[in-house]
Amino acid sequence: MEKNKIFLSHRHSDTQGDCHRIRETLEEEFGEDAVFLDIENLEPGIRFADAIDKALKESKVVLVAIGPDWFGDPNEDGITRLFQEKDWVRREVSAALAKPDTRVIPLLLIRRDQTHGRSIT
């Protein structure tokens, strides 16, 4: 199996729109079959967990989209989603980091209105 895909990990409530634009740009450069963005690329009839595992195994690069709500809402104990064992973003990033032949690249996605007019450089 050749590892040649780009996997976009993101929290739907946080950076979904940004990731759709990133996916479109990457597909223009690398082709439609080169980018995996969960709901957009799920094969019918395959369990979500199996589809994610398969896509991660085929990915050379995992882009981790980090927005202002990346940690997710806290549960009743005050623990944000990212620190909960069953959180999908946590599982994707953890699995990607465990693969020595996979490059994990964080993407900090903020908008100008979230910086109170200041530029972030």
Side-chain angles (χ1 to χ4, degrees):
M1 169 182 59
E2 185 179 351
K3 290 178 58 109
N4 59 2
K5 289 193 184 272
I6 301 167
F7 186 105
L8 277 169
S9 174
H10 71 292
R11 189 167 303 289
H12 286 259
S13 61
D14 190 25
T15 56
Q16 185 172 6
D18 295 313
C19 285
H20 284 282
R21 288 186 291 281
I22 291 168
R23 185 204 67 208
E24 289 170 1
T25 301
L26 290 170
E27 285 178 346
E28 287 175 13
E29 183 69 28
F30 300 105
E32 279 187 35
D33 293 337
V35 183
F36 180 87
L37 180 62
D38 59 18
I39 297 200
E40 299 288 318
N41 299 101
L42 290 176
E43 296 176 44
I46 296 181
R47 289 183 45 235
F48 185 77
D50 294 339
I52 296 297
D53 288 342
K54 179 180 182 245
L56 283 168
K57 286 177 184 164
E58 295 173 350
S59 296
K60 180 182 265 187
V61 175
V62 175
L63 300 176
V64 181
I66 302 169
D69 298 320
W70 187 62
F71 286 96
D73 293 328
N75 64 12
E76 62 278 354
D77 296 323
I79 300 170
T80 57
R81 285 178 62 189
L82 189 65
F83 294 100
Q84 297 172 28
E85 288 288 322
K86 294 185 178 184
D87 179 59
W88 279 105
V89 171
R90 175 191 177 108
R91 291 168 72 173
E92 291 169 357
V93 173
S94 178
L97 289 171
K99 298 179 186 325
D101 57 343
T102 301
R103 186 169 296 199
V104 179
I105 302 171
L107 301 175
L108 181 59
L109 302 176
I110 59 172
R111 291 168 206 76
R112 189 162 186 76
D113 61 314
Q114 294 168 325
T115 64
H116 305 288
R118 296 184 307 269
S119 293
I120 302 294
T121 54

